Amino acid sequence: MKSKVPAIARKEFFASLSGTSFWIPLAASTLFAACIGSLLRAISPAPAGERASRIVESILLASPVLACAVSCGTFSRKRLDGSLESLLSAPVRDSAVVLGSFAAAFAQCSFGSAAIAALWVVSSRAAGFAPLDTSELLLGCVGLAAIAAAQAAWCAGGIFCALLVRNGSGAMALALIASSVSAVVASGDIPEALSESALSRLDLIEFSLGMADTRPLFAFVSATAFFLFASVRLLESRAWLMSRSS
Amino acid sequence: MKIVDARNLVRRFGRENALCGVSFAAGAGERIAIVGRNGAGKTTLLRILAGLIPADSGAAAVAGFDVFSESLSVRERVGYLPEGVALDPDLTVAGYLKYRGKLRGMPRRHLRRRFHEVTEFFDLARILRFPVKALSAGRRHAVGLADCLLHEPEVLLLDDPLAGLDPRQGARLGAMISSPRVSAGRAILFATHDENLVRAAATRVLVLERGRLIGDLPGLSPGMTLPGAFEACLRASDADVGGKSK
């Protein structure tokens, strides 16, 4: 049987972009990142060469909020309004539903992060700062790639929480707490490990030899796999469905 | 020929018995109303037959496929309308129907043909570009039924299809269900509390009480009301249980 993952992911992605379930969380997380970012800048102004890592940091701050709102919020709503039951009445595997929803949430988060980065660059230019040079932009891209793994884990965690907790707000709160804790841990690791040490010199030979600390990446990839597996098992158990049965 | 064959289905939720040994069979062209009080097991029975949840014991086959071990094949041959007609709110009517067709793996040409047929039959042509969330309850039910019939299923399972509809919309839906274009060649099972729908559309009535099948009637006779039929079945069942215990 042909995989239904791409069809589900495509539908989830475009349906969210056309509704408010993506743009409101994006606006909220951008605002959140801007507030916290301003606070950080006030405490320790960034030297010219470290602005790219500040972009990464601001996205890292916004990501947990965005990932939780998009993945957990969308999945909770589907579960509570019954459209998840409708979806599963079609001949689709439970794993396809989880993977499709995860892929869509991850794509939305990546899109949102790119939007936040663009906003950051534009606003810094509008404020009269010198344009970022190529190495800074490259660093920013490397940092973005690094936190993609963390975003994946948060999206998977959001879906897991939406299936675990019956109440939509409770699920969102749980997902947000878990991802915020891991973001605090990660914010110390990822930008430092990838932006400031080996990769700050763009020495890809050293990076390929394992000079960069890739442990956070492995941790987030493992967490993603664990949460996706656990979400599939929870969905298969149909425990989430019993709250709606008559 | 039996299209639906349920044998001794048992399902428990914790300590509560949702179904206790329900057995019945349905053939092509039969329109079966499943009636009973809230919590009688109507939704659970329909969900089991739709391949959404497993039974704890017993066996069930739909269109010749085992609902537990060949759930995906069953779902390909079943049109299931959950309680409350949960549709994806972010999609347009056309987008939703096409998405559902893709999920069912319908070839493009077949999907296009069936799309035109069901939208014409349910008079949806004028609202194809409307978002689902903007539809009235009656229109949403029509879209839900169109979705159920899109892939020409052998069995239709409708869980409280009149919920949220006014009497006029209910009468229209009853006429749709009993029309030859919908009912010919397929078995239709619908859970309902509505006497008018039972009278208008059912060729047979199954009466459930606390998970037990206490009556299997050949429709409602002209002088009989639904509560009256239910009480008669309940008395007969109590007498039967009393007789056996003696």
Side-chain angles (χ1 to χ4, degrees), chain B residues 145-206:
Chain B
L145 269 179
D147 164 40
C148 287
L149 288 166
L150 189 64
H151 58 305
E152 299 181 281
E154 292 173 53
V155 178
L156 263 187
L157 303 171
L158 313 174
D159 191 358
D160 205 357
L162 295 197
L165 296 188
D166 61 40
R168 213 188 62 174
Q169 290 170 326
R172 192 159 171 263
L173 193 79
M176 278 180 182
I177 291 173
S178 53
S179 72
R181 273 182 79 172
V182 172
S183 62
R186 60 174 60 103
I188 302 177
L189 283 84
F190 56 96
T192 187
H193 297 282
D194 190 275
E195 185 174 322
N196 292 329
L197 180 65
V198 175
R199 216 174 273 290
T203 57
R204 193 173 150 198
V205 181
L206 298 181

Side-chain angles (χ1 to χ4, degrees), chain A residues 4-69:
Chain A
K4 308 288 167 52
V5 175
I8 295 171
R10 207 169 16 227
K11 177 255 155 191
E12 293 290 336
F13 181 74
F14 288 110
S16 293
L17 287 190
S18 63
T20 53
S21 56
F22 172 70
W23 296 105
I24 289 175
L26 178 62
S29 56
T30 307
L31 195 65
F32 174 76
C35 292
I36 299 291
S38 304
L39 191 68
L40 285 176
R41 276 195 294 279
I43 295 167
S44 59
E50 290 179 16
R51 275 176 299 170
S53 63
R54 279 290 157 85
I55 298 177
V56 173
E57 275 175 14
S58 67
I59 293 167
L60 200 57
L61 286 165
S63 289
V65 183
L66 186 63
C68 291

Side-chain angles (χ1 to χ4, degrees), chain B residues 21-89:
Chain B
V22 171
S23 301
F24 72 97
E30 280 197 284
R31 300 187 299 271
I32 301 178
I34 303 171
V35 301
R37 290 189 278 217
N38 286 340
K42 305 184 291 293
T43 297
T44 303
L45 178 61
L46 291 180
R47 281 176 176 170
I48 289 174
L49 294 176
L52 274 172
I53 57 172
D56 292 326
S57 65
V62 170
F65 293 93
D66 186 277
V67 294
F68 310 127
S69 59
E70 298 165 301
S71 162
L72 286 180
S73 300
V74 167
R75 283 186 259 168
E76 279 174 12
R77 289 159 180 84
V78 164
Y80 174 66
L81 188 70
E83 192 177 357
V85 195
L87 312 174
D88 264 298

